[in-house]
Structures are given as structure tokens and as C-alpha cells.
Amino acid sequence: MLVVLAVLVFFMFRNSRKRQRQAQELQSKVAVGAEVMTNFGVYGTILDMDEEENIVHLETTPGTVLKVHRQTVTRVVTPSPLTPEDETIDHSADGEPEYGQRLDEPALESGDSVIDTTTEKSEKKADD
């Protein structure tokens, strides 16, 4: 029983030191001009930091500045190595239309029939 208790205490201290190290790394990365994310999901750039009051001024969009507590900054965002040109995928190779793309003529299989609803609607309006 004492051995199991000693192992549990060892892992508790190890995890707490690991969390402290991660928090120190984050605080060293948080500086004016860094792009960060808050714990409520808002991305922004740090404009000003008040160490005494633990206040950070984040610019989320040009002209919009948020005043948040320093502990709400949860991570420093590093830009993705992919460029927007790399992220585009060409779907035209598989022959399927893209979402929302209209086809000029419907592809018919044998035995299918086409119903022209535009003429039916115009005939009903003419009858009324």
C-alpha cells in the first residue's frame, strides 16, 4: 500500500512541475506584437500588457481592441506552414460538379424522363 501511495505522489509532483514549466513557456512567449488565442476562442494581436494589473489589450480586427485578463491568453498562435494556394483542391478531375454548381443539361440514364416544370407552371398561370 505504501509503495502505491509513493508512486501516486511521485506522479502528482511530476505532473505539477510539467504544468508549471508549460505555463512559464507560454508566459515567456506572450509579448507585445504576438498573435494569441484566448480561452474563449478569440484570436488577436497583443497591443499592450499591464504586468501590475494583469491586463492585456488585444486587437482582434483593425480598430477593435479588447481588454482582457492576462490569464485568458491560452496560447501563442504560430502561422501555418501551408499557403492558401496549397490548400486549394481541384475537384474537377473526378467529373462531379462542385457544391452549388448548376449543370446545363441533366445527365440522363436510360429509362429516365425529363419533366419540364417551367411550362407546366406557365400553363397553370395562363389558365387562371
Side-chain angles (χ1 to χ4, degrees):
M1 294 283 254
L2 290 176
V3 172
V4 172
L5 182 63
V7 170
L8 289 175
V9 169
F10 170 74
F11 281 115
M12 286 174 39
F13 281 118
R14 184 175 154 215
N15 286 339
S16 67
R17 286 183 184 164
K18 184 178 177 181
R19 274 188 251 118
Q20 285 176 351
R21 195 174 333 117
Q22 288 174 344
Q24 287 174 350
E25 288 176 14
L26 175 66
Q27 293 305 321
S28 67
K29 291 180 182 178
V30 173
V32 175
E35 187 173 343
V36 296
M37 183 183 88
T38 63
N39 62 355
F40 44 91
V42 174
Y43 289 89
T45 305
I46 297 177
L47 295 179
D48 183 37
M49 291 176 43
D50 186 3
E51 299 290 332
E52 295 172 2
E53 298 292 324
N54 289 327
I55 295 174
V56 175
H57 291 99
L58 288 177
E59 182 178 32
T60 56
T61 58
T64 304
V65 178
L66 300 177
K67 180 179 172 183
V68 296
H69 194 276
R70 184 177 177 156
Q71 289 180 344
T72 61
V73 176
T74 56
R75 73 174 168 160
V76 176
V77 179
T78 56
S80 174
L82 292 177
T83 60
E85 294 86 31
D86 295 338
E87 294 176 359
T88 58
I89 299 172
D90 185 19
H91 293 288
S92 62
D94 59 5
E96 293 289 322
E98 296 208 16
Y99 180 76
Q101 180 181 4
R102 293 187 180 261
L103 299 176
D104 292 334
E105 295 180 5
L108 296 178
E109 295 182 12
S110 62
D112 288 345
S113 63
V114 176
I115 299 173
D116 188 9
T117 58
T118 57
T119 56
E120 289 177 6
K121 288 180 184 176
S122 62
E123 289 174 2
K124 286 182 183 178
K125 287 182 183 178
D127 291 339
D128 291 334

